[in-house]
Amino acid sequence: MVQRERISLLEFNQRFPSQKECIEHLFNLRWPNGFICKRCNSQKYGFHSGRFLYQCKDCRYQASLTAGSVMHKTRTPLMVWFWTIFMVACDKRGHSALSISKELKISYWIAWTLLQKIRRAMAEQDRRYKLKGIVELDDAYWGDKDKGKKRGRGTTKSKVLVAVSTDAKKEHAGFVKMEVVKKLNQDTVSKFVRENIEPGSKIQTDDLNIYNALANLGVKHEQYPLVSGEKPLPWVHIIISNAKTFCLGTYHRFGRKHLQAYLDEFCYRFNRRFWEDQLFDRLLAACTNCESTTYAELTQ
């Protein structure tokens, strides 16, 4: 893999000073060997800048520069997209829609929509792999304090399953997965494990009965009593604490239905913490390989 130095604000501005450079960069990502018509294999083309369309000069087939990406059919300039992706990628604390709107002088709702689409690309990218080896698994709760209501597992807060891979000596954390669930029971736990953890892995949990069915899923299962004085699941608790700090520190408050998007951002950033110098290029690539979603779909 090519080693890159972390790009600075000045270097980014020099690399993408205008819309033209953004278009050229996306073109190279989409057609690294030059434009080739999908229909007739011709390499002769013209460009309609208003709609980001490349048209074959032989058969007149049109190919969109942004098709198959979160930027498809966008009315927002590509420069704004590039700057937003850069700001999200290069600050481990993340950026709120309010800060993006102020920095780039765009409306709050445009900034919010861009960020939600970028988070969707982050989630799609992380769905491509599963955790393996030794995996700590636990449940957590997000939301304001329940006033006069049940606490612990009887709470009305959002319920989240959290899994993190680790080494045998518990010295290093690997990758993390988080999923908001409606209920904490054996069915939701089993579904989460099947979708996110490789068969043959060793899963470590506490001794709650919601984890009792894991042994039937082709994984090894170790349970530790909740009353134990030891800390057999150190990494998953650190991850939960860090994720809550990330969400509350940067975004303060957000709707419960959008919690998964913020957890997806945290996981994406954590899983690539050793590749900070590549985060912009990786995130831009993720955005160009994720189908676009509408504002209505993001808010439903």
Side-chain angles (χ1 to χ4, degrees), residues 97-112:
L98 183 60
S99 69
I100 292 291
S101 68
K102 289 181 177 179
E103 291 289 338
L104 301 183
K105 297 187 183 303
I106 57 178
S107 77
Y108 173 86
W109 290 113
I110 289 178
W112 183 88

Side-chain angles (χ1 to χ4, degrees), residues 16-289:
F16 303 107
S18 69
Q19 184 89 338
K20 176 176 176 290
E21 285 73 23
C22 298
I23 291 174
E24 290 176 350
H25 189 71
L26 280 185
F27 179 92
N28 292 329
L29 287 177
R30 186 174 177 91
W31 296 289
N33 298 317
F35 178 85
I36 300 176
C37 178
K38 186 178 181 179
R39 180 183 294 168
C40 70
N41 292 324
S42 173
Q43 293 181 304
K44 301 176 183 178
Y45 64 90
F47 180 53
H48 296 265
S49 59
R51 294 189 295 163
F52 302 129
L53 289 177
Y54 289 87
Q55 180 170 295
C56 175
K57 289 188 176 181
D58 289 334
C59 71
R60 306 188 69 80
Y61 174 80
Q62 292 183 335
S64 171
L65 176 66
T66 58
S69 77
V70 298
M71 295 168 273
H72 191 45
K73 294 184 178 180
T74 184
R75 296 181 181 179
T76 304
L78 291 183
M79 275 193 70
V80 173
W81 273 102
F82 272 53
W83 270 104
T84 304
I85 293 170
F86 172 76
M87 293 169 69
V88 170
C90 294
D91 191 337
K92 64 181 180 181
R93 298 166 297 180
H95 275 275
S96 66
L98 183 60
S99 69
I100 292 291
S101 68
K102 289 181 177 179
E103 291 289 338
L104 301 183
K105 297 187 183 303
I106 57 178
S107 77
Y108 173 86
W109 290 113
I110 289 178
W112 183 88
T113 303
L114 297 186
L115 289 174
Q116 290 296 84
K117 289 187 175 185
I118 291 170
R119 293 183 186 114
R120 182 70 63 90
M122 290 175 166
E124 287 296 320
Q125 195 70 16
D126 272 1
R127 286 194 187 99
R128 299 183 182 187
Y129 68 86
K130 293 184 177 182
L131 305 181
K132 60 183 179 179
I134 299 175
V135 179
E136 296 179 8
L137 173 62
D138 201 1
D139 51 280
Y141 302 87
W142 255 261
D144 295 330
K145 294 181 178 179
D146 290 332
K147 296 180 179 179
K149 298 180 180 179
K150 293 182 179 180
R151 304 179 65 181
R153 288 180 168 85
T155 183
T156 59
K157 294 181 180 180
S158 297
K159 302 167 181 63
V160 181
L161 286 171
V162 184
V164 56
S165 59
T166 181
D167 62 314
K169 295 183 178 180
K170 301 286 187 178
E171 294 179 348
H172 304 285
F175 294 90
V176 62
K177 293 268 192 177
M178 293 185 173
E179 183 176 323
V180 180
V181 295
K182 292 182 178 180
K183 295 181 179 179
L184 282 171
N185 54 35
Q186 291 188 13
D187 290 337
T188 55
V189 170
S190 297
K191 181 176 182 291
F192 176 82
V193 169
R194 284 194 300 268
E195 293 178 351
N196 296 288
I197 301 176
E198 290 280 2
S201 299
K202 180 189 291 185
I203 301 179
Q204 299 175 332
T205 69
D206 57 33
D207 59 353
L208 279 176
N209 59 11
I210 63 173
Y211 301 115
N212 289 347
L214 294 187
N216 302 322
L217 302 178
V219 297
K220 300 174 183 177
H221 184 207
E222 293 182 353
Q223 287 185 290
Y224 298 90
L226 284 170
V227 295
S228 172
E230 302 178 357
K231 293 184 178 180
L233 308 174
W235 279 111
V236 73
H237 295 144
I238 291 173
I239 295 300
I240 292 170
S241 177
N242 289 350
K244 288 185 176 181
T245 299
F246 168 77
C247 291
L248 296 176
T250 301
Y251 305 111
H252 307 302
R253 296 179 67 88
F254 45 80
R256 179 177 297 195
K257 66 181 178 180
H258 299 303
L259 173 59
Q260 184 65 59
Y262 295 98
L263 296 181
D264 291 336
E265 179 181 354
F266 172 83
C267 291
Y268 182 91
R269 198 183 303 279
F270 181 87
N271 292 340
R272 291 156 185 81
R273 62 196 182 280
F274 299 122
W275 305 314
E276 289 186 353
D277 55 329
Q278 303 171 24
L279 276 182
F280 169 73
D281 291 318
R282 283 175 174 267
L283 185 51
L284 180 60
C287 289
T288 58
N289 290 294

